[in-house]
Amino acid sequence: MSNSRCHTRTVARVAVCLVLAGSLPPAADAQVGHRPDASPYREIAGKYSLTLFGGQSWGSGGKVEVGPGGGPLGGARFDLHLAGPGAIQLGLALGSFDRVLLNPSDTVPENRVLGTTSQSVILVDGGLNFVFTGEKTWHGLAPYLGASLGLALGGDVPEDTLSGFTFSTKFIVGPQLGVRWHITDRVLVRFEARDVIWRLSYPGGFFELPEGTSEDVEPLLDPRFNKQTQWTHNPMLLAALGWVF
């Protein structure tokens, strides 16, 4: 009789243990197989980061390449990581971009290109990024996708005295895709591909035939197929070194 009671109590205890084990939340099961110190995810040590970057632009300069094209650039950027996946950026950069010197009033089309020069351009922008890993890194990596807008401020080009073209203050906008590699809690490296888009405005002389030109010669830009303004893409690759605080 006592053996029967002991057997009943044992069965009851096993049943209670099984019920309790089955009632555990799914999150507990998700932790199985990963010790906290072995997890690939790590909290980002700080919300702020300051980076110094450099890179290269491959801008087209427009249909006649009179606008700023390719060249090196460098600058600094401040990032604020918001709650969750959001992050705000503020950047300042200086580039030296190639551009073509033109004389649209030359009656000989082959003589309208006078050579090349460079123009300094300051880029001031702000943007919003979506960080795929949120407030953590995965094996030290934090990839992101974002967009920015701002202003491009073109410097003087003393060599350009004949084209009538100017690139002074332009609105800029564009997407970006990158990854932050947190080497330590306080040091990071960032690699980014971005596109800076701005609009060029061509002077009227680009669409007109110079006086004394024969009828079979075309203007620099044919007004039948070209507009006076053109949005141009300036793809860039950037690398940065920064500090988290």
Side-chain angles (χ1 to χ4, degrees):
M1 188 71 176
S2 59
N3 290 337
S4 177
R5 290 180 179 177
C6 291
H7 180 72
T8 302
R9 290 176 182 175
T10 301
V11 172
R13 289 172 182 172
V14 172
V16 170
C17 290
L18 292 175
V19 170
L20 291 176
S23 65
L24 289 176
D29 294 335
Q31 301 298 325
V32 175
H34 281 291
R35 301 191 314 272
D37 60 344
S39 173
Y41 293 95
R42 290 287 185 272
E43 294 283 348
I44 297 177
K47 291 187 175 182
Y48 310 99
S49 67
L50 179 64
T51 54
L52 302 177
F53 65 85
Q56 179 73 23
S57 170
W58 288 272
S60 68
K63 291 185 176 180
V64 288
E65 300 183 351
V66 71
L73 72 157
R77 193 167 100 183
F78 173 78
D79 288 79
L80 167 61
H81 200 127
L82 306 173
I88 295 175
Q89 70 175 59
L90 297 172
L92 176 65
L94 174 63
S96 179
F97 302 139
D98 297 331
R99 53 173 287 187
V100 173
L101 295 173
L102 297 174
N103 179 14
S105 61
D106 198 303
T107 57
V108 181
E110 292 77 10
N111 296 337
R112 292 173 181 171
V113 178
L114 305 179
T116 60
T117 187
S118 61
Q119 181 175 14
S120 61
V121 178
I122 297 175
L123 303 175
V124 183
D125 67 347
L128 182 64
N129 295 327
F130 178 87
V131 183
F132 293 102
T133 53
E135 298 179 70
K136 298 182 178 182
T137 65
W138 179 78
H139 293 291
L141 303 177
Y144 62 88
L145 175 68
S148 63
L149 55 86
L151 294 175
L153 309 173
D156 294 333
V157 185
E159 302 89 344
D160 188 4
T161 59
L162 300 174
S163 73
F165 173 84
T166 60
F167 184 93
S168 52
T169 302
K170 300 292 183 180
F171 171 78
I172 60 174
V173 65
Q176 56 197 32
L177 176 66
V179 59
R180 290 168 43 150
W181 176 25
H182 290 254
I183 301 176
T184 69
D185 286 345
R186 299 300 175 185
V187 179
L188 68 86
V189 174
R190 183 179 69 244
F191 300 98
E192 181 178 284
R194 67 183 305 185
D195 186 15
V196 176
I197 305 170
W198 56 49
R199 187 177 68 171
L200 303 178
S201 298
Y202 300 119
F206 281 26
F207 303 89
E208 300 172 357
L209 282 175
E211 293 184 7
T213 305
S214 60
E215 295 182 356
D216 59 340
V217 175
E218 297 181 353
L220 195 62
L221 290 174
D222 193 326
R224 296 173 299 174
F225 310 109
N226 298 282
K227 297 181 179 180
Q228 197 161 1
T229 61
Q230 180 189 2
W231 288 95
T232 61
H233 295 266
N234 300 272
M236 301 177 181
L237 287 178
L238 307 174
L241 175 64
W243 298 264
V244 179
F245 54 96

